[in-house]
Amino acid sequence: MEQPIAVTRQSFDDWMIPVYAPADFILVRGEGSQVWDQQGKSYIDFAGGIAVNALGHAHPQVLAALVEQAGKLWHLGNGYTNEPVLRLAKQLIDATFADKVFFCNSGAEANEAALKLARKYALDSGNREKNQIVAFNNAFHGRTLFTVSAGGQPKYSQDFAPLPGGITHTPFNDLGAAAQVINDRTCAVIVEPIQGEGGVVPAQAQFLQGLRELCDRHGALLIFDEVQTGVGRTGSLYAYMNYGVVPDVLTTAKALGGGFPIGAMITTDKLAKTLGVGTHGTTYGGNPLAAAVAGVVFSLINTSEVLDGVKQRLEWFIAGLTEINLQYPIFSEIRGAGLLIGCALNPEYAGRAKQITQLANEEGVIALIAGPDVVRFTPSLIIPEQDVKEGLARFARAVARICS
Ligand SMILES: *Cc1c(COP(=O)(O)O)cnc(C)c1O
């Protein structure tokens, strides 16, 4: 056999379109919540592939499902349905408010489908004027042109103008401001129950309840973007279950495939009728390989053992992070829910989240940022206590270096 092409971190700069600035090492293997780089150095993984690898790396049952399905059938195209996708649909329906499911391959695509559904539902109801979408400042909904325009960080969209119109942004957690912009021309309100990329900022319960009431009053659809908060991340299967506010449409991706790309939009029977044959679609959506993997991931996570375990693990993190913060007062707030944890930096350390994660890498732990001022942890939902302790000990060494 031919030798594989030799690759180093420099190869990234040589060959890749530079939309990312990855770490200066290359990871080659993972098991549970540990990963190893080309040089054999080990890291504790507190990022989980950005809230994706919810059962860690190489989980034996997930791996077995992948291998089994890989030997049977990978892809058919949507002219033919398949068993794994139908089973996964039923799992999602049984576990949530939804009656119907549309599958795609990413969070952005799930949100794209949700926004298109809302526009068409309003149009089909006979109101040509009802096409306005309300979204929130600092929100993140993906990188397609429609979803990046719905997102609330103009720096990600403005260079791609002209942008899709009819989208209004208003401050998150400000119900009064939302009431000013939601009206009878609004077809949808899209919101993250916890803003993830925007800094790990939970919605207040009254805010989501108020949005539900405003949507009901004005006949607008309430879309919950649970791409990051879904599939057990917050200690409930979906975050809406914590809030007791039921959306009309919910989008889910990231953890759904445990690392295999898949996304879904779920909704009610009534709304699902909007997207009749030929109105929307995607080649890979609902392919049997992704669906088989997601089916196992979903059933492993949707147990009281794993969901209660998330709450237990949050306590381990809070205890460890509080201790670090007592020694080196670097955080002004530790917030989030379950294993979506945001550590907001004190003003003194503003803008240094990235530098902290780089030092963390040097100490052997993988962490994320959520904007320049927040360090974010989204580890595996089943990370062992020993890995939490060891990872936090390594993280403490990184913090000590920043603070000295
Ligand atoms: C990651 C994310 C998305 C985008 O998902 P992709 O799979 O990257 O397209 C959308 N919404 C939220 C809340 C996210 O966290």
Side-chain angles (χ1 to χ4, degrees), residues 155-223:
K155 69 170 188 213
Y156 291 141
S157 59
Q158 65 201 8
D159 293 353
F160 305 101
L163 303 176
I167 304 171
T168 304
H169 291 92
T170 182
F172 187 65
N173 272 335
D174 184 341
L175 192 57
Q180 297 290 309
V181 294
I182 297 171
N183 56 44
D184 288 343
R185 286 192 60 202
T186 308
C187 67
V189 175
I190 183 166
V191 65
E192 297 158 89
I194 301 174
Q195 286 193 334
E197 302 306 305
V200 189
V201 184
Q204 288 150 12
Q206 288 154 317
F207 178 64
L208 294 184
Q209 281 153 11
L211 292 180
R212 178 70 275 177
E213 284 163 23
L214 287 165
C215 284
D216 289 342
R217 190 177 317 151
H218 295 288
L221 304 187
L222 181 60
I223 302 169

Side-chain angles (χ1 to χ4, degrees), residues 50-52 105-111 139-144 147 192-197 225-229 251 253-254 262 376:
I50 318 188
V52 167
N105 315 288
S106 67
E109 278 178 86
N111 287 327
F140 185 79
H141 299 301
R143 297 287 199 146
T144 64
T147 57
E192 297 158 89
I194 301 174
Q195 286 193 334
E197 302 306 305
D225 177 348
E226 293 229 30
V227 169
Q228 188 152 166
T229 53
T251 56
K254 288 201 166 93
I262 184 169
R376 174 174 41 151

Side-chain angles (χ1 to χ4, degrees), residues 1 46 50 67 102 122 138 187 207 224 230 235 279 285 298 305 316 322 341 355 375 385:
M1 245 189 33
F46 281 173
I50 318 188
V67 170
F102 170 79
N138 275 320
C187 67
F207 178 64
F224 277 5
T279 57
F298 195 84
E305 190 194 340
W316 300 337
T322 306
I341 303 165
Q355 191 193 353
V375 176
E385 184 170 17

Side-chain angles (χ1 to χ4, degrees), residues 98-390:
D99 311 307
K100 289 282 196 292
V101 185
F102 170 79
F103 287 104
C104 50
N105 315 288
S106 67
E109 278 178 86
N111 287 327
E112 185 87 18
L115 296 171
K116 284 177 71 177
L117 183 152
R119 283 260 173 92
K120 189 168 184 308
Y121 179 75
L123 181 72
D124 290 356
S125 68
N127 190 345
R128 289 206 150 269
E129 303 282 286
K130 195 173 177 65
N131 52 28
Q132 299 293 303
I133 290 159
V134 172
F136 296 94
N137 296 346
N138 275 320
F140 185 79
H141 299 301
R143 297 287 199 146
T144 64
L145 199 56
F146 201 174
T147 57
V148 84
S149 304
Q153 291 208 55
K155 69 170 188 213
Y156 291 141
S157 59
Q158 65 201 8
D159 293 353
F160 305 101
L163 303 176
I167 304 171
T168 304
H169 291 92
T170 182
F172 187 65
N173 272 335
D174 184 341
L175 192 57
Q180 297 290 309
V181 294
I182 297 171
N183 56 44
D184 288 343
R185 286 192 60 202
T186 308
C187 67
V189 175
I190 183 166
V191 65
E192 297 158 89
I194 301 174
Q195 286 193 334
E197 302 306 305
V200 189
V201 184
Q204 288 150 12
Q206 288 154 317
F207 178 64
L208 294 184
Q209 281 153 11
L211 292 180
R212 178 70 275 177
E213 284 163 23
L214 287 165
C215 284
D216 289 342
R217 190 177 317 151
H218 295 288
L221 304 187
L222 181 60
I223 302 169
F224 277 5
D225 177 348
E226 293 229 30
V227 169
Q228 188 152 166
T229 53
V231 199
R233 179 58 50 194
T234 68
S236 295
L237 184 64
Y238 284 96
Y240 82 85
M241 297 167 177
N242 299 332
Y243 284 98
V245 177
V246 180
D248 301 296
V249 180
L250 180 150
T251 56
T252 178
K254 288 201 166 93
L256 183 60
F260 201 97
I262 184 169
M265 169 185 71
I266 68 175
T267 188
T268 60
D269 265 326
K270 184 176 155 202
L271 299 177
K273 291 191 179 79
T274 306
L275 295 180
V277 175
T279 57
H280 190 59
T282 161
T283 297
Y284 291 117
N287 69 79
L289 194 51
V293 173
V296 170
V297 170
F298 195 84
S299 64
L300 287 171
I301 290 175
N302 191 21
T303 60
S304 52
E305 190 194 340
V306 169
L307 297 175
D308 292 344
V310 169
K311 293 166 194 150
Q312 172 70 62
R313 282 160 178 75
L314 172 63
E315 284 171 24
W316 300 337
F317 268 93
I318 299 268
L321 290 166
T322 306
E323 204 174 304
I324 291 171
N325 210 31
L326 277 175
Q327 204 177 351
Y328 313 101
I330 184 169
F331 304 129
S332 59
E333 190 185 12
I334 298 167
R335 64 193 180 214
L339 290 174
L340 174 52
I341 303 165
C343 303
L345 297 174
N346 272 324
E348 210 187 322
Y349 298 98
R352 294 176 73 184
K354 185 82 205 177
Q355 191 193 353
I356 293 169
T357 62
Q358 283 163 345
L359 291 174
N361 289 163
E362 289 180 20
E363 297 296 336
V365 60
I366 310 275
L368 296 168
I369 62 172
D373 307 324
V374 177
V375 176
R376 174 174 41 151
F377 301 111
T378 56
S380 159
L381 306 184
I382 57 168
I383 184 171
E385 184 170 17
Q386 202 188 323
D387 288 348
V388 175
K389 290 213 162 118
E390 177 60 26

